[in-house]
Amino acid sequence: MSVTASPVKRAFKYRFRPTEAQAAELSRTFGCVRKVYNMALAARTQAWTRQERVNYNATSAMLTAWKKTEELSFLNDVSSVPLQQCLRHLQVAFTHFFGKRAKYPRFKSRKKSRRSAEYTTSGFRFKDGRLTLAKMAEPLDIVWSRPLPEGSKPSTVTVSQDAAGRWFVSMLCEDPGVQPLAVNSNVVGIDVGLDHLLTLSTGEKIADPRHERRDRARLARAQRELSRKAKGSKNREKARRKVARVHARITDRRRDHLHKLTTRLVRENQTLVIEDLTVRNMVQNRSLARAISDASWSQFRSMLEYKAQWYGREVIAVDRFFPSSKLCSTCGTLREEMPLSVRTWTCDCGTTHDRDVNAAKNLLAAGRAVAACGAGVRPQRSSPGGQSAMKQEVSRRKP
């Protein structure tokens, strides 16, 4: 039987087509949000050098003072809600920094940073399926690709524009349709890779779509055209948008595939066991960084974890130093060496293993041990430098 729980807050993202006036207003808002964020960060950084603490209330008072100056009077032309929200975001960034969960906050770049603004309930009006933002007379022309949950109203609205020039609005709503699923006894080990995106302990192999490789020629052509354009020209901006559209196409297909894949795995299995990989370190291998980034292991894990939380499932991360590839899943014998070229091998006990399936089975067994004893799995390091099986495979493929 399913277990009832409080509604999950979920973001619903849609494209919209702004009028010229709306696009101009949003562009001004994006610029003001970036300006206020950078000024507040600079003020807090200067206070930090003086060994002083500045919190959200202090930066909010600074914002009020800034608006009264002649130089920054243009901040009054946009809604104050996104400006206050960016100060709250800065406070969260510093909280994570002091909690040693993130690096020191960085300044927002005009060209590279995400163009976005967040509105709370006082900054928008949602009625009869029409969303109107503050400082705007007309509602946004939203492409309703799917309906919002019945009876739900957004608590926050985030408007953004990507590098390809597409406009998006994300609405955070309570979704009563997301409820824990019925408990089952299925447990699966998941080994990630490059030849196959995923290999399950059941023996199933899921191919890596290699979205970036499929569009690599188109992307290279667009980038060559961009390199020939004069800096600052309108033709260069058009060429830049063309490159951004190719990147957006790759990103959208990758995200769609991962959403479908993670949803299926979470629905079918009660417990999912993965390897705790440090992808940030692995992409330092220049010969494999592109393939690893295209596989998007970090995004896969993130989706798997939050969907498991939604539906009452459990995700277990096995220690990265666990030698899953070199351990016989039948008798437990540990091989000294396992070159990457070896895709199948026969153990002394007579069992012939597929390398990836064997690794997934070992992860499954390690996950069961974690669930049973409640402790992390960290066997003695067997590879030089203490590298995990996946990290070892990556390092051995260096040129």
Side-chain angles (χ1 to χ4, degrees), residues 146-392:
R146 55 177 173 169
L148 289 176
E150 187 175 356
S152 297
K153 290 187 177 181
S155 57
T156 61
V157 169
T158 302
V159 182
S160 61
Q161 185 185 26
D162 68 3
R166 303 179 300 176
W167 294 86
F168 295 94
V169 57
S170 179
M171 307 181 195
L172 186 65
C173 306
E174 287 189 348
D175 188 358
V178 178
Q179 295 290 339
L181 298 172
V183 177
N184 61 47
S185 59
N186 297 337
V187 184
V188 66
I190 304 173
D191 180 65
V192 297
L194 298 178
D195 292 336
H196 293 87
L197 179 61
L198 301 179
T199 301
L200 308 184
S201 55
T202 58
E204 178 184 358
K205 292 188 175 183
I206 300 172
D208 185 355
R210 296 190 171 108
H211 299 291
E212 187 272 340
R213 179 179 292 184
R214 290 169 58 186
D215 278 348
R216 189 172 295 176
R218 180 183 300 180
L219 179 61
R221 184 165 57 251
Q223 289 173 331
R224 283 196 300 270
E225 293 176 359
L226 174 63
S227 66
R228 299 190 187 105
K229 308 301 180 184
K231 292 185 177 181
S233 65
K234 291 185 177 180
N235 284 337
R236 185 176 179 85
E237 176 60 22
K238 292 179 182 178
R240 187 200 64 78
R241 288 283 181 91
K242 188 174 181 180
V243 173
R245 284 195 294 269
V246 178
H247 279 297
R249 170 186 168 91
I250 295 171
T251 302
D252 290 346
R253 290 189 304 176
R254 180 188 298 127
R255 185 187 300 113
D256 178 70
H257 179 259
L258 290 178
H259 268 302
K260 293 175 180 177
L261 182 57
T262 52
T263 299
R264 176 206 146 190
L265 291 173
V266 168
R267 289 186 181 277
E268 292 178 353
N269 301 281
Q270 181 66 32
T271 304
L272 306 101
V273 185
I274 59 177
E275 190 174 6
D276 185 18
L277 300 176
T278 52
V279 180
R280 181 180 299 179
N281 294 337
M282 296 168 67
V283 295
Q284 294 178 5
N285 180 352
R286 295 176 60 185
S287 63
L288 286 178
R290 173 179 282 185
I292 294 173
S293 299
D294 192 21
S296 195
W297 295 335
S298 295
Q299 189 176 22
F300 166 77
R301 176 174 177 175
S302 175
M303 289 183 179
L304 201 67
E305 288 178 337
Y306 78 72
K307 290 180 182 181
Q309 186 177 6
W310 281 359
Y311 297 110
R313 303 311 199 194
E314 182 182 14
V315 175
I316 297 176
V318 176
D319 190 275
R320 64 178 62 97
F321 296 107
F322 181 64
S324 56
S325 295
K326 299 189 295 182
L327 191 68
C328 176
S329 58
T330 302
C331 67
T333 300
L334 182 64
R335 291 283 295 268
E336 291 294 332
E337 294 293 335
M338 182 70 67
L340 182 64
S341 58
V342 178
R343 307 313 301 174
T344 60
W345 58 282
T346 302
C347 180
D348 295 338
C349 66
T351 306
T352 300
H353 295 290
D354 178 282
R355 182 192 186 100
D356 298 329
V357 175
N358 178 66
K361 290 180 179 179
N362 285 324
L363 290 174
L364 173 60
R368 291 183 186 274
V370 171
C373 64
V377 176
R378 187 165 185 146
Q380 185 178 2
R381 300 181 184 180
S382 57
S383 58
Q387 295 176 323
S388 70
M390 178 59 67
K391 290 171 66 178
Q392 185 182 18

Side-chain angles (χ1 to χ4, degrees), residues 24-44:
E25 176 64 29
L26 289 173
S27 295
R28 283 194 298 270
T29 303
F30 294 158
C32 291
V33 166
R34 183 181 63 251
K35 178 70 173 178
V36 169
Y37 185 94
N38 288 342
M39 291 176 63
L41 177 55
R44 295 186 67 150

